[in-house]
Amino acid sequence: MATATASSASIRERQTVALKRMLNFNVPHVKNSTGEPVWKVLIYDRFGQDIISPLLSVKELRDMGITLHLLLHSDRDPIPDVPAVYFVMPTEENIDRMCQDLRNQLYESYYLNFISAISRSKLEDIANAALAASAVTQVAKVFDQYLNFITLEDDMFVLCNQNKELVSYRAINRPDITDTEMETVMDTIVDSLFCFFVTLGAVPIIRCSRGTAAEMVAVKLDKKLRENLRDARNSLFTGDTLGAGQFSFQRPLLVLVDRNIDLATPLHHTWTYQALVHDVLDFHLNRVNLEETSGVENSPAGARPKRKNKKSYDLTPVDKFWQKHKGSPFPEVAESVQQELESYRAQEDEVKRLKSIMGLEGEDEGAISMLSDNTAKLTSAVSSLPELLEKKRLIDLHTNVATAVLEHIKARKLDVYFEYEEKIMSKTTLDKSLLDIISDPDAGTPEDKMRLFLIYYISTQQAPSEADLEQYKKALTDAGCNLNPLQYIKQWKAFTKMASAPASYGSTTTKSMGLLSRVMNTGSQFVMEGVKNLVLKQQNLPVTRILDNLMEMKSNPETDDYRYFDPKMLRGNDSSVPRNKNPFQEGKQGKHILYGCSELFNATQFIKQLSQLGQK
């Protein structure tokens, strides 16, 4: 989705502000207020947990007065003298459990916040339960929060996590999906998008391709926004909604596209840090889980591998290294981690040196700070210790994460796959036959080979002949591949061939440079021998092109028949002629793009969906 809002707050900041306001009993949260916060418990369901966890750390929750955060459907003991803030979806089973809490008089007072708008009938159920439990006065507030989406970065959000199977690519493209099931999928997507725009504080202009699921979403979202704007007294877009809308000079443009316009990109092997972490590690809602094996342990029964330690790391916007390097090519990241490590060691030695000169190795920081002025230099070194230790924590984190990624790159020859796929997608001459890579037992897993072949099959103008296809299929089967995904892509390609030409990926190539000197040093943490140092070039992917055409109001066969909706226009006449002829961008800032998706999957998860669709 693209938007050109002139206000500086990102969607991440807006959703965080909304959550803090909710945790502060729906009163705006003032920073630096000297008073102690009111201690309270937070009760959420899995949906609420997924929304809060990428945005607020446990420390931040504690600063807001949250002493305990518990799942709604867990066994909870009564804490009768403490207020409880609930943050849950308005589902039947959640409402039942909340009514049970009221009957059991678990808390002093109840602040009920619904992630999505609660229906009138469910609200009456709560009122009846409160009456029956004589707890009416304890239900302090009931709020619809309109926060039913998950923000992962400043400008990136995902609609679903807990119920992502419901809105998955497979769900929408199943041949046997019923109209009722499709309605439910569309309503789920529309509800989240509606919440997103309420939080953004702006009513979008909507563009979408015709005859796709994107069009169904657009029609429903336009209707929902229109109905809300018509009810002036209760409209969520008038006045100061969360202090969000008042700076927007220009309305956002929402471009809805169907995954089917580009099936190659999600299968593509990647080369930048964040994309690799998502592709090869267990990375979910900004948290990466690593299994670390620590050598061999000797037991009476003889040597055996040590137990695997599971470690979790949060990769968040607060992590400066991650923010700076998540989009960098992997060899550059390895080089930067090494540089950070060396600069840290230099500082660490400086602190140790100063301490030892003054004979203070064993002293605690308190004693050191009491020394006279000529120790100012030492004091400043010591006061920077916490900062140094945080720096060390981040270096260790990225050393571990980058090492885990590097193991995959080397074991599976991911650099070779990435470079070869880039050539296929940009129609560059191939230096090696596809069959050779598929047949090479040392190059990649069966899934890597299947991804490569699917990209070739999707991107090629001329489908391979039946005889060639049989030869490829045999090689893939011999390599241990499951052919179901190919079965589905074959049907899909035959179907889309009737509708349109294959997606074009621009003519860009990657350049291979000499191997990096710093990382090749024997002293480096990363042994990069044999890994290519590939430099990225700008890719012109289908989504980028579509967005560019629509934001710049360019005429282009790819987007000329996109539908146009403006929910603010009184009559809902669907005109494909945009009334606004101005390009969507701010003069000073240029374009500001926000990206959202119904579900965030990596290639492994996508292949699994394609495989299910291809099953006979």
Side-chain angles (χ1 to χ4, degrees):
M1 84 144 268
T3 157
T5 48
S7 63
S8 54
S10 67
I11 189 62
R12 189 170 174 277
E13 287 169 292
R14 287 172 189 226
Q15 199 175 24
T16 306
V17 165
L19 286 171
K20 286 185 170 175
R21 173 187 242 179
M22 175 190 85
L23 295 173
N24 202 38
F25 304 125
N26 287 299
V27 178
H29 175 62
V30 185
K31 267 193 189 146
N32 310 329
S33 54
T34 46
E36 277 278 292
V38 177
W39 299 113
K40 47 192 156 321
V41 293
L42 170 63
I43 312 294
Y44 47 38
D45 60 1
R46 296 266 179 216
F47 289 84
Q49 186 179 31
D50 288 345
I51 293 165
I52 291 173
S53 66
L55 296 179
L56 295 171
S57 66
V58 174
K59 182 189 178 304
E60 286 170 301
L61 289 175
R62 187 163 284 278
D63 292 345
M64 298 278 315
I66 303 291
T67 49
L68 267 180
H69 37 98
L70 302 164
L71 280 164
L72 176 66
H73 293 282
S74 59
D75 291 332
R76 290 173 283 115
D77 296 325
I79 314 176
D81 51 351
V82 170
V85 175
Y86 286 73
F87 184 51
V88 298
M89 286 292 272
T91 62
E92 203 73 55
E93 107 188 273
N94 283 353
I95 306 270
D96 288 351
R97 185 61 188 256
M98 289 160 90
C99 293
Q100 191 184 320
D101 288 359
L102 290 171
R103 283 195 296 274
N104 296 342
Q105 299 183 346
L106 288 191
Y107 308 109
E108 175 192 74
S109 52
Y110 302 83
Y111 292 80
L112 309 181
N113 298 279
F114 294 102
I115 296 169
S116 244
I118 184 171
S119 68
R120 176 101 206 179
S121 65
K122 289 199 176 107
L123 203 50
E124 284 167 4
D125 292 345
I126 295 175
N128 292 332
L131 269 172
S134 308
V136 175
T137 53
Q138 284 144 297
V139 178
K141 286 182 182 173
V142 180
F143 268 87
D144 288 332
Q145 291 292 349
Y146 295 100
L147 291 172
N148 189 17
F149 60 97
I150 299 166
T151 306
L152 296 177
E153 293 185 18
D154 280 351
D155 294 319
M156 182 182 167
F157 64 99
V158 54
L159 300 185
C160 296
N161 178 47
Q162 288 301 322
N163 56 343
K164 62 181 178 207
E165 285 74 29
L166 175 69
V167 298
S168 67
Y169 177 82
R170 175 179 173 255
I172 296 172
N173 290 278
R174 275 190 315 148
D176 58 346
I177 189 166
T178 65
D179 288 354
T180 328
E181 287 171 326
M182 195 61 155
E183 283 289 310
T184 310
V185 174
M186 296 301 123
D187 288 341
T188 307
I189 293 173
V190 168
D191 181 68
S192 285
L193 284 173
F194 181 78
C195 289
F196 173 82
F197 284 105
V198 172
T199 306
L200 195 66
V203 179
I205 284 165
I206 306 168
R207 304 294 308 267
C208 68
S209 53
R210 293 175 185 270
T212 60
E215 183 178 26
M216 295 164 77
V217 171
V219 171
K220 276 179 175 285
L221 181 61
D222 175 63
K223 181 167 179 271
K224 195 172 170 98
L225 288 164
R226 201 175 278 283
E227 282 168 1
N228 188 266
L229 288 166
R230 204 178 297 140
D231 179 5
R233 271 217 346 256
N234 299 309
S235 172
L236 296 157
F237 295 97
T238 48
D240 175 13
T241 51
L242 288 184
Q246 72 267 48
F247 303 118
S248 299
F249 303 135
Q250 192 171 21
R251 287 169 59 195
L253 168 71
L254 169 65
V255 179
L256 291 165
V257 289
D258 201 295
R259 177 73 272 163
N260 282 317
I261 63 159
D262 175 11
L263 289 184
T265 301
L267 295 165
H268 188 16
H269 286 85
T270 54
W271 197 237
T272 54
Y273 190 26
Q274 184 180 36
L276 275 164
V277 168
H278 187 223
D279 190 355
V280 303
L281 303 179
D282 174 10
F283 183 49
H284 189 62
L285 298 184
N286 293 349
R287 173 169 290 179
V288 64
N289 299 307
L290 292 183
E291 281 194 346
E292 296 173 340
T293 43
S294 35
V296 174
E297 66 178 350
N298 288 311
S299 67
R304 60 175 182 197
K306 277 196 178 170
R307 287 229 333 271
K308 287 188 176 178
N309 293 329
K310 281 211 164 162
K311 278 226 162 150
S312 291
Y313 301 108
D314 289 319
L315 298 173
T316 64
V318 183
D319 177 342
K320 289 193 177 68
F321 186 89
W322 179 245
Q323 283 308 92
K324 187 176 175 188
H325 292 291
K326 63 186 180 186
S328 306
F330 184 76
E332 233 173 77
V333 175
E335 185 170 19
S336 301
V337 173
Q338 191 61 32
Q339 279 170 343
E340 291 279 329
L341 194 57
E342 285 162 22
S343 87
Y344 168 75
R345 281 178 181 150
Q347 288 170 290
E348 192 182 38
D349 291 346
E350 176 68 357
V351 174
K352 281 184 185 157
R353 192 177 67 78
L354 285 167
K355 276 187 164 184
S356 69
I357 288 170
M358 306 193 70
L360 291 171
E361 282 109 327
E363 296 287 347
D364 68 2
E365 287 172 32
I368 294 169
S369 63
M370 286 161 70
L371 290 165
S372 62
D373 296 14
N374 66 348
T375 62
K377 195 174 178 193
L378 177 63
T379 312
S380 86
V382 170
S383 66
S384 66
L385 263 181
E387 201 180 311
L388 271 175
L389 293 173
E390 175 58 11
K391 192 172 179 183
K392 173 82 165 75
R393 185 186 73 79
L394 290 178
I395 293 166
D396 288 347
L397 183 164
H398 288 288
T399 304
N400 292 342
V401 172
T403 304
V405 169
L406 181 59
E407 281 169 11
H408 281 273
I409 292 174
K410 289 164 78 168
R412 291 159 58 184
K413 297 193 179 170
L414 298 184
D415 48 343
V416 174
Y417 276 93
F418 169 70
E419 188 179 28
Y420 199 84
E421 288 164 4
E422 289 273 298
K423 286 179 177 169
I424 291 175
M425 288 164 80
S426 58
K427 313 273 186 282
T428 313
T429 323
L430 303 172
D431 50 355
K432 191 174 179 183
S433 97
L434 183 60
L435 215 48
D436 286 353
I437 298 186
I438 294 171
S439 310
D440 178 353
D442 297 326
T445 61
E447 186 185 278
D448 291 326
K449 295 174 195 288
M450 185 45 103
R451 283 165 67 177
L452 170 67
F453 185 71
L454 290 178
I455 289 170
Y456 160 73
Y457 194 84
I458 290 164
S459 309
T460 179
Q461 295 284 350
Q462 189 62 50
S465 67
E466 275 305 313
D468 284 353
L469 188 60
E470 282 312 309
Q471 199 179 357
Y472 282 126
K473 278 172 146 178
K474 183 182 182 320
L476 288 164
T477 311
D478 291 348
C481 298
N482 166 357
L483 296 183
N484 283 343
L486 176 58
Q487 189 55 37
Y488 172 73
I489 292 294
K490 218 176 143 186
Q491 294 162 359
W492 169 82
K493 189 153 182 166
F495 178 73
T496 43
K497 199 173 181 183
M498 298 185 292
S500 63
S504 123
Y505 291 91
S507 55
T508 58
T509 50
T510 46
K511 204 164 71 222
S512 179
M513 289 173 61
L515 288 158
L516 288 171
S517 54
R518 177 178 291 275
V519 190
M520 294 312 291
N521 289 348
T522 43
S524 165
Q525 292 280 322
F526 301 97
V527 186
M528 301 281 284
E529 273 110 338
V531 175
K532 296 184 179 188
N533 179 21
L534 301 166
V535 177
L536 300 170
K537 287 252 190 112
Q538 249 350 86
Q539 272 284 30
N540 199 8
L541 297 173
V543 175
T544 319
R545 280 201 313 277
I546 288 168
L547 192 52
D548 194 47
N549 293 340
L550 294 171
M551 285 184 88
E552 298 283 348
M553 298 285 178
K554 291 177 187 163
S555 176
N556 187 296
E558 212 170 6
T559 49
D560 281 349
D561 81 333
Y562 266 51
R563 287 188 68 178
Y564 177 94
F565 299 87
D566 183 351
K568 278 192 173 178
M569 297 299 295
L570 284 173
R571 284 199 319 281
N573 59 341
D574 160 37
S575 111
S576 33
V577 185
R579 291 169 180 265
N580 170 8
K581 288 288 182 202
N582 300 326
F584 284 84
Q585 63 188 55
E586 296 300 329
K588 291 193 197 87
Q589 292 178 305
K591 296 180 183 127
H592 177 188
I593 311 288
L594 287 166
Y595 180 80
C597 53
S598 48
E599 55 157 347
L600 189 61
F601 50 59
N602 63 14
T604 302
Q605 292 155 337
F606 191 41
I607 282 270
K608 193 175 170 187
Q609 293 193 34
L610 296 178
S611 181
Q612 289 165 332
L613 286 165
Q615 277 169 356
K616 289 260 176 26

